[in-house]
Structure formats: C-alpha cells, structure tokens
Amino acid sequence: MENQIKAPIRIRAFRAVDNPDACKKYIDGHSRILSSVGVEQVTSSTNDWMFNPASYVIICESEEDGKVFGGARVHALGGSQDLPLIGATEEMEPNIRKHVDQYAPQGTGELCGLWNSIEVAGMGIGAIYLIRCSIAILPQLGLKTLWALCSPYTTRIANRYSFLKYDQVGNKGTFYYPKIDLLATIVLLEDSDKLEFANKDEKEAIMSLRQEWNQFRMEQNRQYKIPVNYQLKIDTVDRSVFRFGSDS
C-alpha cells in the first residue's frame, strides 16, 4: 500500500553562521536522537560548528509549519575547527590528520551529524535525501573528496554514494566510537565529480540537483511518496577560509 505525504517537505542548504535559528533547531533534534540511543555527548557533537565559517548545514523540514525532520552537515577542511572525525579518532589514530591533509589540495571535507526524527523513519529522509543533497552541493564548495564516520548500517548506505572504506587507519578502517560497544567505520568519497562507484539512480538524482539547485521533485522510497522542495543554492560560500594545502 502506498502512503503519500501531502504537505511538501523542504530540504535546504546554508552556511551555518548565516542562520543560527535553523542551527538551533537542528541541534535540538539531533540531541534527542543521540539521547534516545544512550549517547549524551560525543566528541564530534559539540556545537562550535555553528560559528565555523567552513560549516554548511542541510536541513529537512515541513513547509507547513517549519518542523525539522532531520539534518546533516558538510564541513570543509579549514575554518575555525578540525574536521570532526579528527577529534573523534586522533587519540586512537595519531596519524589521522596526515591522512586527511593529503587530500587537502583537491578540496576535502566531512559529511557529519546526519540524523532524522523517529516519526519519519523508513521514509528515506536520512538514508537517501540528506546524503544525496550533501554530495550534490560539493561543487558549490569546491570539494572533490568527502570523509564520513559511519555506523555499520550507514556504512552500507554510504557505499551507494561512492564512499569506500578507508582501511589505512584504525583496525582496517574501524574504531569503537562513540562508545566501546559501538563500531564506527571511516569512509572516503574520492570522486565527488564523477561518482564512479555510486548507485545509478542516486548518481542521476545528484547530477540533476547539480544542474538545478532549486527544484521540486516527487520522490518515492518504498511505499512512501514525498513531495520535496529542494533549495540547495547556497547564498554565501567563502572558500578563502577553506584549506587547500597541508599546514605541515
């Protein structure tokens, strides 16, 4: 049986420092999700990213009342912070910074803070649409490569978007994080322009969004039909704060 969400949802992208109110809504929703799985605070969940000029937010919300259903962030290397995965893994992997730095000349960053609310579980908000949009905006930021620190579940999803396990760190790419009983895997998307290893349908959707940043699409995942208003043209991108080379 097909379920259709009648009120459109909006997925929009913006520089974090330009919209503190939306950032706070994102933080509130993400905190509730972390608490629900017993994670009260993790290294990469501090909120200093709100003030980082190299941090960009993708948020999914109801067009009807502005209720936030999920979000993700793309941090470019540089700005006022390390990439979150450096802070998360450096104690376990002292060379992580060098591994990240070698990709700096091409433009690199991290997809992080991905979450969706329980009420939209199964609709593809986090597992499809937010990841899709995070990758779609990379040409606006000038980033060819993108890192992510994934749970076992999201690692499998990330493979559909041309992310591959980066096995040169940790235990063949894995760490226990954010708790000793939770496994995390570092993955790297090396070809954001071509997406050679991506799922065909997802690659086509991403390329469509890159041709027209702001567009309306009727999306379908499983039995859910969702009207989505994509607003992915970022008003302000200041690449002067990004780092395109090694500090060493």
Side-chain angles (χ1 to χ4, degrees):
M1 182 177 177
E2 193 174 87
N3 296 316
Q4 180 170 343
I5 297 178
K6 294 181 180 179
I9 65 170
R10 175 173 52 231
I11 301 180
R12 58 189 173 111
F14 55 89
R15 190 173 63 159
V17 295
D18 294 334
N19 198 329
D21 289 341
C23 288
K24 288 172 184 174
K25 289 182 179 180
Y26 167 101
I27 289 166
D28 289 344
H30 194 198
S31 297
R32 285 194 294 272
I33 293 299
L34 290 173
S35 295
S36 72
V37 295
V39 178
E40 295 302 327
Q41 184 67 43
V42 296
T43 304
S44 58
S45 71
T46 58
N47 300 325
D48 291 345
W49 57 264
M50 280 183 64
F51 313 104
N52 179 358
S55 174
Y56 292 80
V57 181
I58 303 94
I59 201 166
C60 176
E61 59 198 350
S62 166
E63 279 207 331
E64 198 169 49
D65 58 12
K67 185 174 184 179
V68 176
F69 296 129
R73 307 194 311 272
V74 173
H75 287 208
L77 183 66
S80 56
Q81 294 177 296
D82 280 332
L83 294 186
L85 71 83
I86 293 177
T89 65
E90 193 167 31
E91 187 173 325
M92 298 172 279
E93 177 54 71
N95 290 320
I96 185 62
R97 193 181 301 273
K98 291 181 180 178
H99 287 275
V100 170
D101 279 350
Q102 69 180 327
Y103 291 91
Q106 308 168 59
T108 196
E110 180 181 351
L111 169 58
C112 55
L114 177 68
W115 67 274
N116 63 260
S117 63
I118 294 172
E119 65 192 291
V120 295
M123 296 183 187
I125 299 298
I128 298 176
Y129 307 122
L130 287 168
I131 298 176
R132 176 189 295 173
C133 293
S134 299
I135 296 171
I137 67 171
L138 295 180
Q140 293 186 71
L141 305 180
L143 305 182
K144 185 179 178 183
T145 63
L146 192 67
W147 300 83
L149 190 60
C150 300
S151 69
Y153 173 69
T154 52
T155 298
R156 293 192 295 273
I157 294 169
N159 292 156
R160 299 175 55 195
Y161 296 88
S162 209
F163 282 97
L164 301 176
K165 181 193 284 189
Y166 190 78
D167 60 9
Q168 298 178 50
V169 295
N171 181 13
K172 295 184 178 179
T174 63
F175 299 86
Y176 286 108
Y177 178 83
K179 300 194 300 181
I180 192 63
D181 57 341
L182 295 177
L183 193 68
T185 300
I186 287 187
V187 296
L188 175 64
L189 168 61
E190 289 195 61
D191 63 338
S192 72
D193 50 352
K194 297 180 180 178
L195 301 173
E196 180 181 357
F197 303 106
N199 169 278
K200 180 177 178 291
D201 291 341
E202 281 306 312
K203 180 176 178 177
E204 288 178 356
I206 289 167
M207 295 305 178
S208 170
L209 289 169
R210 288 178 177 177
Q211 297 225 341
E212 188 178 351
W213 301 114
N214 300 336
Q215 60 173 278
F216 177 87
R217 292 167 60 110
M218 181 61 75
E219 303 287 9
Q220 180 156 7
N221 176 52
R222 299 175 182 169
Q223 75 273 30
Y224 296 101
K225 287 186 72 173
I226 308 174
V228 182
N229 183 7
Y230 291 97
Q231 297 179 6
L232 300 184
K233 182 69 174 73
I234 302 171
D235 291 337
T236 305
V237 175
D238 180 7
R239 295 186 191 176
S240 70
V241 302
F242 298 177
R243 182 152 60 81
F244 292 99
S246 174
D247 285 342
S248 58

